[in-house]
Amino acid sequence: MSFSTWLAFFAASWAISFSPGPGAISAMASGLKYGFRRGYWTTIGLILGILIQFMIVAVGLGAVLAASEVAFGIIKWLGVAYLIYLGWKQFRTDAAPVAVEANDPAPFRVHELILRGCLINITNPKGTVFLMAVVPQFLNLSQPLTMQYVTIAATLCFTDLVAMGCYTTLAARILRLLRSPRHIRWLNRGFGAMFILAGTVLASFSHNK
């Protein structure tokens, strides 16, 4: 891969990473509830999900989702159900404010946040199909593909780490300004509604798009 080709993909990656979607909503929801330092574990899960999707595309299994409506439908509806489930949980979460700098933070499990982020990206077939459409445009088929895949994956992970970090920080900063449980309750309901909306949008994503 030439430097100019990588630079073009690097620029595209920022647009991809900052585009609103389930990942951004999840990062903000974690920032709201846990603050940046703890909530950022969700981003690690999101990155793992991206890497798994990328490997699916790289080994050619993404073609199965593109060719099989049944396989595509199964993954899509799993994603829809999971996003709506997250939305319902967020909508009903405790309204008590979270002290980001408190010595006794709200209880949380790192592996649960990582798994949550990972599942959000894995169960989104639109991401796989999107990668299938974008990645080939930057490959030099006359050169070995392994290092090109590694370069593309590393670039996308870097931009996503920064983008999701920004979303998490945004929510955490807003959190510090909140003192009323009523404000927290409505923010949680807002994030819950966004999760459900993301699931609804995913449900409308057809096999041919």
Side-chain angles (χ1 to χ4, degrees):
M1 178 183 294
S2 66
F3 179 74
S4 60
T5 300
W6 173 81
L7 202 58
F9 181 76
F10 184 63
S13 292
W14 288 109
I16 295 169
S17 295
F18 274 105
S19 60
I25 297 170
S26 181
M28 288 190 291
S30 291
L32 170 66
K33 187 171 184 180
Y34 302 110
F36 176 80
R37 185 168 55 86
R38 296 183 292 275
Y40 196 66
W41 285 108
T42 298
T43 295
I44 304 303
L46 292 170
I47 296 300
L48 289 177
I50 288 175
L51 288 175
I52 291 172
Q53 280 202 336
F54 193 87
M55 286 188 288
I56 289 174
V57 171
V59 301
L61 293 180
V64 175
L65 291 181
S68 171
E69 292 189 19
V70 174
F72 182 90
I74 290 173
I75 298 297
K76 182 183 82 170
W77 289 109
L78 283 174
V80 170
Y82 188 60
L83 287 172
I84 291 177
Y85 165 74
L86 289 178
W88 178 244
K89 283 193 64 177
Q90 187 75 27
F91 195 89
R92 299 180 69 247
T93 195
D94 189 356
V98 178
V100 177
E101 301 298 337
N103 293 324
D104 185 21
F108 79 108
R109 294 183 176 88
V110 169
H111 72 274
E112 289 182 356
L113 293 181
I114 293 176
L115 180 62
R116 169 174 162 168
C118 189
L119 287 175
I120 285 174
N121 273 343
I122 290 177
T123 57
N124 184 3
K126 187 174 182 178
T128 303
V129 175
F130 181 76
L131 286 173
M132 287 179 62
V134 171
V135 170
Q137 312 302 319
F138 297 92
L139 293 175
N140 183 351
L141 300 181
S142 64
Q143 299 294 326
L145 295 178
T146 301
M147 283 307 300
Q148 294 185 69
Y149 279 133
V150 170
T151 300
I152 289 174
T155 301
L156 190 56
C157 286
F158 170 75
T159 57
D160 220 50
L161 281 169
V162 175
M164 295 305 104
C166 289
Y167 281 125
T168 305
T169 301
L170 175 64
R173 292 294 183 182
I174 292 174
L175 176 62
R176 287 195 177 94
L177 301 177
L178 298 176
R179 294 293 181 269
S180 168
R182 182 172 61 89
H183 292 160
I184 297 292
R185 182 181 297 112
W186 281 108
L187 273 176
N188 282 326
R189 289 178 178 178
F191 280 122
M194 285 192 286
F195 270 122
I196 294 172
L197 178 61
T200 304
V201 172
L202 178 58
S204 67
F205 185 67
S206 71
H207 181 261
N208 295 322
K209 285 185 180 178

